Amino acid sequence: MSTYVTKMFDRLDRIVYARYGSTSNRLVEWVTEQNDGIELYGIVLPMGVSINLPEPPVKVTEVPVLPQLFLWT
């Protein structure tokens, strides 16, 4: 488990991406559940908040990117 102390203009989704390499909604929600009261700060976190970033319960994989889609040809 690692601990991250927020800096100015930090957001939880960016912190999760930097740590786990993904911003899937389930992963951000899981980190929120591990840190009681973190949702009360809003989108932009204040400086000095300690966030626990434990090892994920499952392997984190990126969602496959779809090939380029053309709506009009």
Side-chain angles (χ1 to χ4, degrees):
M1 178 186 308
S2 62
T3 302
Y4 178 83
V5 179
T6 58
K7 300 178 204 93
M8 186 179 282
F9 305 118
D10 269 343
R11 292 185 354 207
L12 188 59
D13 60 337
R14 290 183 180 175
I15 295 167
V16 168
Y17 182 79
R19 171 68 170 89
Y20 301 109
S22 176
T23 57
S24 73
N25 286 338
R26 283 188 265 157
L27 191 55
V28 175
E29 289 174 8
W30 178 74
V31 172
T32 302
E33 291 172 1
Q34 305 302 312
N35 294 277
D36 292 332
I38 195 78
E39 68 278 356
L40 300 176
Y41 291 114
I43 295 172
V44 179
L45 301 170
M47 291 176 57
V49 176
S50 294
I51 299 174
N52 294 324
L53 299 170
E55 293 301 317
V58 294
K59 184 178 179 189
V60 177
T61 58
E62 278 294 319
V63 177
V65 177
L66 297 175
Q68 190 172 9
L69 178 68
F70 295 101
L71 297 177
W72 298 275
T73 55

